[in-house]
Amino acid sequence: MTAAKVYTGDVEYFPSVQRIAFEGPDSDNPFAFKAYEADRVVAGKSMAEWFRFSVCYWHTFTAGGQDPFGPATRTFPWDAPSDEMAAAHERQDAAFEFFTKLGVPFYCFHDRDIAPQGATVLESESRLEQMVTRAKALQQETGMRLLWGTANLFGDPRFMNGASTNPDFTAVAHAGAQVRAALDATIALGGENYVFWGGREGYASLINTQTHRELAHMARFLGMARDYGRANGFTGTFLVEPKPMEPMKHQYDFDAQTVIGFLRHHGLDGDFKVNVEANHATLAGHAFAHELQMCTDAGLLGSIDANRGDPQNGWDTDQFPADINDALHAMIVVMRAGGLGRGGFNFDAKVRRESVEMEDLFIGHILAMDNFARALVIADRIAADGRVDDFLRDRYATFDSGPGAAFERGELTLLALRDHAVDHAVAHTSGKQEWLENIINDLMFRG
Amino acid sequence: MTAAKVYTGDVEYFPSVQRIAFEGPDSDNPFAFKAYEADRVVAGKSMAEWFRFSVCYWHTFTAGGQDPFGPATRTFPWDAPSDEMAAAHERQDAAFEFFTKLGVPFYCFHDRDIAPQGATVLESESRLEQMVTRAKALQQETGMRLLWGTANLFGDPRFMNGASTNPDFTAVAHAGAQVRAALDATIALGGENYVFWGGREGYASLINTQTHRELAHMARFLGMARDYGRANGFTGTFLVEPKPMEPMKHQYDFDAQTVIGFLRHHGLDGDFKVNVEANHATLAGHAFAHELQMCTDAGLLGSIDANRGDPQNGWDTDQFPADINDALHAMIVVMRAGGLGRGGFNFDAKVRRESVEMEDLFIGHILAMDNFARALVIADRIAADGRVDDFLRDRYATFDSGPGAAFERGELTLLALRDHAVDHAVAHTSGKQEWLENIINDLMFRG
Amino acid sequence: MTAAKVYTGDVEYFPSVQRIAFEGPDSDNPFAFKAYEADRVVAGKSMAEWFRFSVCYWHTFTAGGQDPFGPATRTFPWDAPSDEMAAAHERQDAAFEFFTKLGVPFYCFHDRDIAPQGATVLESESRLEQMVTRAKALQQETGMRLLWGTANLFGDPRFMNGASTNPDFTAVAHAGAQVRAALDATIALGGENYVFWGGREGYASLINTQTHRELAHMARFLGMARDYGRANGFTGTFLVEPKPMEPMKHQYDFDAQTVIGFLRHHGLDGDFKVNVEANHATLAGHAFAHELQMCTDAGLLGSIDANRGDPQNGWDTDQFPADINDALHAMIVVMRAGGLGRGGFNFDAKVRRESVEMEDLFIGHILAMDNFARALVIADRIAADGRVDDFLRDRYATFDSGPGAAFERGELTLLALRDHAVDHAVAHTSGKQEWLENIINDLMFRG
Amino acid sequence: MTAAKVYTGDVEYFPSVQRIAFEGPDSDNPFAFKAYEADRVVAGKSMAEWFRFSVCYWHTFTAGGQDPFGPATRTFPWDAPSDEMAAAHERQDAAFEFFTKLGVPFYCFHDRDIAPQGATVLESESRLEQMVTRAKALQQETGMRLLWGTANLFGDPRFMNGASTNPDFTAVAHAGAQVRAALDATIALGGENYVFWGGREGYASLINTQTHRELAHMARFLGMARDYGRANGFTGTFLVEPKPMEPMKHQYDFDAQTVIGFLRHHGLDGDFKVNVEANHATLAGHAFAHELQMCTDAGLLGSIDANRGDPQNGWDTDQFPADINDALHAMIVVMRAGGLGRGGFNFDAKVRRESVEMEDLFIGHILAMDNFARALVIADRIAADGRVDDFLRDRYATFDSGPGAAFERGELTLLALRDHAVDHAVAHTSGKQEWLENIINDLMFRG
């Protein structure tokens, strides 16, 4: 499922790193997997199929560590050419070298990541088309695939007050232009999904905002994009990615339930699903696994942006996911859901600003892939062990037959409930949380 | 709109406090209103009509300040009788004395606030009926009205794992029994609304919970309550009150958008609206005004639990609302919505544990009522001034005609947006947040 | 180091549970250790010596699950006697049965946990003395030891406005009376430490508080307790336990650095150290390991209350510590510090309110003990591996000799720094965070 | 106390704005003060003297709205020259035009704000000296004064791992070079204070950090700066500005108490005080007024960075302070302290990214100055009213004489406390928080 061989362009950008191989748990090699073994079959599917890992273009190839208090700390060699398009070519070569050395099957990008914005809409479109043509050739050469495309509707100052929710119609039109071109690019590259992350879709202050109108515009806009995509051959899934805040004070796609409610209300849930990012979940006051569960319950889990935040920091730190517990609870949900379908695990993650060696880019990804690989194996062990699932089945058994089942089928009235209560006392039954936590911890280390 | 005269039962419980009168801004009398003047007309309605203030039974008459680290600090004289029902009678007398001395038109209660739980369902029902009969007589005597009734489905250990979302059907049945009786009580007392706050509807841990099944049960349960209420003459509004957590780690009714999505998905939004509590909003990561705005946008703002949290504390402090800014931004939304209809401003608030004088109960309510009265007057001043509303109208003017209006009507395609963008640049227009904040602050003090 | 045999009083309170044995990682027995092996030597000390595990009396034997929204869900058989002192005897028997079955060497208590408050100071003292006499006998019989004693200065309404920081001198005096008696009890029982947790030492509002005076009173009070203890033979460590809030809006002992600064400023750091609680750390916006590190840096790490909070909840959930990462990073700090000396790992933790079986009390403790045992083994593995420590040593090498060392010794002026800068550029060196995280994760699972 | 006339350089950068005048509460002029009247005497001092308002150079003249998701939205005309030093001259002219039109007496800067970094230490020093010479002339011409100077030790990548706490001594040396030059500049310009904000003094991860060594280096460094300053004629106050996090995961100067403890421990509290920033306070989990109170209690309140955060956002939003309650509670503390001495109210605040008109820069400052002016007047009204202060005095009266006073003097033993408790019961006295809140709200609107 991954590239047969390593790609390098005219320049080899990561000469010190070769194709990352699985070396097993006893290896000390920083450039080897200790747990992720692409072809290893777990619960009926290979690791590669379970995860469909994806590298994101923006953090890894376009952002060098700038933060609100300082500039970039990593100077990328591919940014050397003064001609923007020449640099874009080099960056693309570097990206495909990285993808194929790392051994992931997918990647993701915003329009502006792969093609610099032009002076006009037409020039921007032309540049994107050139880079898409080049990407297509590289995909064919390497076997790499596009997990999803998207448009950057938050960077340019024209979107400072929002894109589809901008108070100025012309800004909405420019958002439309970018989405049109990004959809074309996604279709041309066989993208499996198309993502909307509403970076500026929200407000800085309620006092200068008509939220009702902005939300109606957002729904209208998503519908128009859906119609265009479907009419032009896009058969993949549209995804909305929740985030509660940052850069805006409030963002409309606050969390999974907010997005699910919005999609259903506007009749978009047939074409749209949710792209859950771990760090956005925690910013919204939720566990990562909670957001995944809410989407699974709604049948709307589309894809995952696998990263993590810092529990003590209130902004998007976008760290590589290193926590075995977070990964494990995510994989328990994903395994029960049977996997992500056309979605995948995209690493919307960046190495720390202080991690300035080019090799650190590989190390961050290895950290994350090994972590999720371990989580998959443990989740499978828990399923095979059966105690947790048995407990859950028994816990809800009163609804499987008799009056509980009638209640589920909608056959009881409130009075019938009351009459049942008159005759029955509630059993005082332990929730056994600590016992289940014990089982999970024990199985984590029974490898 | 408020009681014509003060009620006292056999005992006068607040002998040092007389009917609270409006004395105006220069009064130093702790037992007088400085801003709330029930009959003063603002924007076409009296203050009393705008607010429909309500006192809650639980914090004010049943809870004496216990917290997880210590017992009650206020010993209520009405709790003196060893016979539970006798104490309930005295508490009811004290409550009506308090209501009528304070001069609010409404009150609210849980079933267990007014009638102690019996040993059996039947005894609990019987006790509630007795207290409702008594309440009815007191309402008739005083003119007091019931803003809403509700059932306490979180206190009894049988609900430790949830009420309508309990994994055990029998617990759901007991919840049904209580809701049936509480609905009967609400109907008998002419309650304008009936509230569901899902205190234990959520989970302590995802690992022992089937969220999908629990959420389906909750929807089924609400529908059954609605059917019972409508069949038995309840013409008021059903309300769901969001809260993100506490006591549970996660509560299903997380915030307004979650509840709105849930109600719509299950076809409940014709009968149910949202009861917004200020402190619950902030626990969910939202401003109070935000939650009100989201409900207004959805046409589902039902009623308000007016209190406040502490910005530095992560639990429900339920303080009396003293912050003019919070109240003002709430009133701006409420005024634009034309008021709360059948809803009201209920003080789901408690005096601090250290405020142990009986008189402090009055002082807390006066604090809140004066604060909201000032907010109403300032909100009206802002509307009359017009600068804020004019700014908002102008800001969205591109959608009022031409292609922006066509976009709103759904007449444009994505390609049409793109073509508009090719020919038009986005104006670089200030959001003017600081200017609007200046106007609001200036008008706040132009009284 | 642990009790030679199981103790039972007249009644066996946990008949279904025998002495908890180590059965190794493949055991499915809920009542066995999978990782904690008391006598296993790790880095020169037995596990029992590293941890000096302690059970807390209050959560496990006196609190049955009450929370602000409902009463207790666990009814303890030892609370059955209507006579308070008879119940206290039974509770003590149950506690020692529990301690010896679990196999921990230490326990902790507040005065009121073991002896019910009397109607007067004298009666309270007398009751405590009786229970201490009984505890002494049980300690001798079982070999159990007291990790620390303390006084409950937050529960009684007389302390609603604080204990040593109460605005009323008489309340301070009552706090003094309790501390005097609790110190006597701790001395009599050979307690290794004495703890001050300032549950109400803080404020509900700044507007009714003179913080300066209250903080001065707190320092005076701690000094008086120290003087009394030292004069009466207490040779152990006094400990202050930080907590940022709850029940108070703000508590003076906010976090480790606040307490360290306070102790030093008032000359108390010769006798007092810090008792770090994990959940209090996270409430203060810190990682657990951070608080431990700050105390270690100051030479003031005294003891640990090992529990955890919920990352999404803003109150003290006091859960049993189940997270391997939290435990591991704590143990890395503790191992580098060479252990806790006279301190220990006390489980200031409670099973969930829904965990209503008596057996759940054991399961919670097993969960925590196994988790820390695994963490110790992994921390030792990391130390033995050496890569992390080598990296750290190399990272600061410029301060080990030459001008860096001179800087550390205070021999350079600001101008000398400047002159060095004129001639030297800063190397652009990676912080290698992801690489270190990889090493730690790899070693975690190399068992 | 403010500039006698408006300054303009060769170009007038704000031609549409004239000197901001006080027009009183009924003015609708966006470019007039409604409350701030520089010469109005309140409690014995003019408003200008109470506040000593200061404009910060960085937000207002060097930062155009960039955030992690997009570039600047404000293009400053003074940045037009391609020559960096020429642009610095123009920026300086614009700044002094702004200062004198706004009518503030003070300003603040980092070295790099006024003089672009050079290629070498020597060039950077030379550039700073040139700009300081120019600034000196402008100060003389306009009467403007420097509230404080500081060095930017967080922007350049050489400080990515810290400045004085960098693991590499050469980076520490470069920090020293900058502080030396910035101190010289501050001395030359008659700066009243010199500030250390430790933007990168902290850690991204504990696992690659020796906190003990880094903290020792920080203390050493501050001492060297103090010695240099004092030896070279600096008679002002050194200030440390707390911030808990951002950009680092954890910053050592977490909050006021942490800084106070650090300064005292290292013997720096004779020369150093604390510069409290409102937004940093709330990020640390504290109210703004709390941090001010802690500093006042310690005698270490130096100066104020007056801004505000967003209660729902977990990063430094640096908004202009518009909340009357925050300002009022700050002014109550400041008035009781008798003012800030050599400190002032510096607006470390930026207009929103969407506020793109040059005029918005004035409007933001007017918003803040009027807000604090109102707060001062209300705080004075509360003091004159006397009820709040009387309550506080009475609340602690038991410590003013008798055994309470003996306790304060350190004349009582723990046994003496106990003996007092035996004979005295604690009065059950209300904290009256709601009554005090009522008084404050009433007086707020009694103008």
Side-chain angles (χ1 to χ4, degrees), chain B residues 63 65-71 152-157 159-162 197-201 203-204 243 245-249 251 315-316 350, chain C residues 59 62-74 246 313 315-317 350-355:
Chain B
Q66 55 271 53
D67 70 15
F69 302 88
N152 179 328
L153 304 178
F154 46 87
D156 192 90
F159 298 127
M160 69 182 178
N161 289 307
W197 171 62
R200 306 264 179 203
E201 312 291 30
Y203 58 78
K243 190 179 182 187
M245 65 194 78
E246 198 208 21
M248 306 307 281
K249 176 253 188 325
Q251 288 178 209
W315 64 92
D316 211 9
K350 56 190 177 197
Chain C
H59 287 312
T62 78
Q66 54 272 51
D67 70 16
F69 301 88
T73 54
R74 282 180 294 281
E246 198 208 21
N313 294 159
W315 63 93
D316 211 9
T317 65
K350 56 189 177 196
V351 295
R352 299 302 80 199
R353 187 173 185 260
E354 305 80 23
S355 298

Side-chain angles (χ1 to χ4, degrees), chain A residues 98-427:
Chain A
F98 186 89
F99 301 152
T100 54
K101 284 188 169 172
L102 184 60
V104 292
F106 289 99
Y107 75 113
C108 299
F109 64 79
H110 300 84
D111 50 357
R112 299 315 190 219
D113 301 333
I114 63 166
Q117 179 165 311
T120 64
V121 170
L122 297 177
E123 188 184 21
S124 294
E125 289 177 347
S126 165
R127 287 177 161 194
L128 182 59
E129 282 161 21
Q130 291 175 52
M131 294 308 301
V132 164
T133 301
R134 204 172 181 281
K136 199 167 182 176
L138 288 170
Q139 289 187 194
Q140 282 168 340
E141 180 175 347
T142 59
M144 287 298 303
R145 294 157 68 191
L146 180 65
L147 186 63
W148 44 264
T150 190
N152 179 329
L153 304 179
F154 47 87
D156 192 89
R158 70 167 63 95
F159 298 127
M160 69 182 177
N161 289 306
S164 69
T165 64
N166 199 296
D168 180 350
F169 169 70
T170 302
V172 179
H174 277 267
Q178 272 187 245
V179 169
R180 207 278 306 212
L183 268 168
D184 284 353
T186 301
I187 294 166
L189 295 173
E192 311 243 336
N193 306 271
Y194 183 87
V195 164
F196 290 88
W197 171 62
R200 305 265 180 204
E201 312 291 31
Y203 58 78
S205 171
L206 269 177
I207 59 169
N208 64 4
T209 308
Q210 290 186 339
T211 54
H212 183 56
R213 211 165 185 182
E214 294 199 356
L215 281 161
H217 293 176
M218 188 161 78
R220 179 69 72 204
F221 187 86
L222 294 183
M224 289 161 71
R226 185 252 331 260
D227 294 344
Y228 179 86
R230 293 300 182 229
N232 286 275
F234 180 62
T235 57
T237 310
F238 291 92
L239 299 171
V240 173
E241 178 174 328
K243 190 180 181 189
M245 65 194 79
E246 200 209 22
M248 306 307 281
K249 176 253 189 320
H250 175 88
Q251 290 179 206
Y252 294 130
D253 299 324
F254 191 82
D255 63 2
Q257 288 288 41
T258 301
V259 170
I260 290 166
F262 180 85
L263 293 176
R264 284 170 168 168
H265 182 59
H266 293 287
L268 296 165
D269 53 323
D271 297 275
F272 283 77
K273 290 184 173 175
V274 182
N275 186 41
V276 175
E277 190 194 298
N279 201 156
H280 295 177
T282 51
L283 286 174
H286 301 302
F288 179 28
H290 169 84
E291 289 289 88
L292 297 175
Q293 188 66 57
M294 292 300 104
C295 293
T296 299
D297 288 355
L300 292 175
L301 177 58
S303 197
I304 287 174
D305 268 16
N307 60 12
R308 72 177 164 109
D310 185 294
Q312 276 86 42
N313 293 160
W315 63 92
D316 211 10
T317 65
D318 280 337
Q319 293 175 256
F320 279 95
D323 187 300
I324 186 62
N325 285 300
D326 282 352
L328 174 57
H329 287 281
M331 289 315 299
I332 289 172
V333 178
V334 169
M335 283 195 82
R336 285 179 180 159
L340 292 178
R342 297 186 72 144
F345 284 73
N346 176 52
F347 295 117
D348 190 356
K350 56 190 178 197
V351 294
R352 298 302 81 199
R353 186 173 185 258
E354 305 81 22
S355 298
V356 294
E357 298 175 6
M358 287 298 103
E359 297 179 345
D360 290 329
L361 298 175
F362 281 93
I363 291 173
H365 284 84
I366 292 168
L367 173 68
M369 292 166 76
D370 272 348
N371 187 42
F372 271 99
R374 291 187 188 106
L376 174 68
V377 170
I378 298 166
D380 180 53
R381 202 179 293 149
I382 291 168
D385 176 86
R387 282 176 290 172
V388 173
D389 288 337
D390 289 351
F391 175 85
L392 270 175
R393 190 195 56 227
D394 294 349
R395 199 177 194 213
Y396 293 85
T398 56
F399 293 99
D400 293 334
S401 62
F407 167 79
E408 283 206 343
R409 288 190 305 270
E411 296 169 2
L412 300 189
T413 64
L414 196 66
L415 266 179
L417 284 187
R418 180 262 182 193
D419 291 344
H420 184 87
V422 169
D423 295 330
H424 297 81
V426 180

Side-chain angles (χ1 to χ4, degrees), chain B residues 146-178:
Chain B
L146 181 64
L147 186 63
W148 44 263
T150 190
N152 179 328
L153 304 178
F154 46 87
D156 192 90
R158 68 167 64 95
F159 298 127
M160 69 182 178
N161 289 307
S164 70
T165 65
N166 199 296
D168 180 350
F169 169 71
T170 302
V172 179
H174 277 267
Q178 272 188 245

Side-chain angles (χ1 to χ4, degrees), chain C residues 171-198:
Chain C
V172 179
H174 278 267
Q178 272 188 244
V179 169
R180 206 278 306 212
L183 268 169
D184 283 353
T186 301
I187 294 166
L189 295 172
E192 311 243 336
N193 306 271
Y194 183 87
V195 165
F196 290 88
W197 171 61

Side-chain angles (χ1 to χ4, degrees), chain C residues 52-59 61 99 106-111 113-114 144-150 193 195 275 303-305 344-348:
Chain C
R52 298 164 56 90
F53 282 131
S54 162
V55 169
C56 84
Y57 218 94
W58 51 102
H59 287 312
F61 308 111
F99 302 152
F106 288 100
Y107 74 113
C108 299
F109 64 81
H110 300 84
D111 50 357
D113 300 333
I114 63 167
M144 288 299 303
R145 294 158 67 193
L146 181 64
L147 186 63
W148 44 263
T150 190
N193 306 271
V195 165
N275 186 41
S303 196
I304 287 175
D305 268 15
F345 284 73
N346 176 51
F347 295 117
D348 190 355

Side-chain angles (χ1 to χ4, degrees), chain B residues 69-122:
Chain B
F69 302 88
T73 55
R74 280 179 296 280
T75 308
F76 295 129
W78 48 85
D79 285 338
S82 59
D83 178 72
E84 284 184 310
M85 285 299 285
H89 286 208
E90 296 208 20
R91 185 183 309 123
Q92 202 171 46
D93 280 348
F96 276 79
E97 179 187 338
F98 186 89
F99 302 152
T100 53
K101 285 188 169 173
L102 184 61
V104 292
F106 288 100
Y107 75 112
C108 299
F109 63 80
H110 300 84
D111 50 357
R112 301 315 191 218
D113 300 333
I114 63 167
Q117 180 165 310
T120 64
V121 170
L122 297 177

